[in-house]
């Protein structure tokens, strides 16, 4: 739990007002630039669930296709889920799901030309794709586990480019 310590004097805390309450940052004066962010995560699965994905025998149907579409939809709906996220024009979303021996690796890349970053859209995409995958395989694996969701790269904007080490 995070407890407010009163008014912030740190100029880097852009989402905190002088009185310590949260605010949405005003980005209206920032220039529109091309931006891209990628995120990744994993869903750890049983050998039985991995086999069902590979053999296309998941009882609910094409789990990977459902998860991919869920990830795309999620990127577009991020400001509805994350209170201080700006509505940005999502111009492209790619979601890749790769079946591995111990689960599924998920990557999402989101692109825009807008005034603020798109990292939250990439993270939301991976998160919801993982949730959809768990929903699709829960009849086969009740112990599926979502893990390692993180931003892996970003480009564009004032802070420049960054890639996970």
């Amino acid at each position: 739990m995070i407890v407010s310590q009163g008014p912030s004097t740190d100029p880097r805390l852009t989402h905190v007002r002088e009185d310590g309450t949260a605010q949405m940052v005003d980005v209206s004066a920032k220039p529109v630039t091309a931006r891209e962010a990628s995120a990744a995560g994993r869903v750890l699965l049983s050998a039985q669930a991995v086999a069902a994905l590979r053999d296309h025998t998941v009882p609910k149907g094409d789990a990977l296709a459902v998860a991919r579409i869920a990830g795309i939809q999620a990127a577009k709906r991020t400001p509805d889920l994350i209170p201080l996220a700006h509505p940005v024009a999502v111009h492209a979303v790619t979601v890749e799901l790769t079946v591995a021996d111990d689960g599924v690796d998920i990557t999402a890349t989101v692109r825009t030309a807008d005034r603020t970053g798109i990292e939250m859209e990439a993270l939301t995409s991976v998160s919801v794709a993982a949730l959809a995958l768990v929903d699709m395989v829960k009849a086969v694996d009740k112990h599926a586990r979502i893990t390692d969701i993180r931003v892996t790269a970003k480009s564009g904007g004032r802070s420049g480019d960054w890639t996970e080490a």
Side-chain angles (χ1 to χ4, degrees):
M1 175 198 262
I2 297 174
V3 179
S4 175
Q5 300 296 319
S8 171
T9 58
D10 187 342
R12 293 174 296 168
L13 297 176
T14 58
H15 286 76
V16 179
R17 294 190 298 207
E18 288 293 321
D19 66 358
T21 57
Q23 72 174 350
M24 185 176 199
V25 175
D26 182 355
V27 297
S28 60
K30 291 173 73 176
V32 171
T33 61
R35 298 162 185 268
E36 179 176 294
S38 296
R42 304 198 80 219
V43 178
L44 299 175
L45 297 169
S46 66
Q48 181 183 5
V50 168
L53 287 169
R54 287 182 171 154
D55 298 339
H56 306 287
T57 58
V58 174
K60 283 187 157 185
D62 190 344
L64 300 177
V66 169
R68 184 176 301 107
I69 295 299
I72 293 167
Q73 282 184 299
K76 298 186 297 183
R77 299 300 301 259
T78 298
D80 294 335
L81 302 169
I82 309 300
L84 300 179
H86 290 86
V88 297
V90 173
H91 294 127
V93 181
T94 58
V95 179
E96 299 297 331
L97 296 101
T98 305
V99 179
D101 290 339
D102 63 346
V104 176
D105 294 312
I106 304 170
T107 59
T109 300
V110 184
R111 286 184 278 299
T112 189
D114 216 314
R115 290 179 165 83
T116 190
I118 200 148
E119 296 90 344
M120 294 310 299
E121 286 74 6
L123 287 166
T124 302
S125 177
V126 169
S127 299
V128 173
L131 289 167
L133 183 63
V134 169
D135 180 52
M136 292 296 289
V137 302
K138 66 185 178 192
V140 180
D141 186 353
K142 298 198 183 331
H143 302 287
R145 186 166 41 124
I146 299 169
T147 185
D148 297 325
I149 297 174
R150 68 215 181 269
V151 174
T152 57
K154 69 163 285 297
S155 65
R158 183 175 44 92
S159 62
D161 299 354
W162 176 86
T163 302
E164 180 180 57

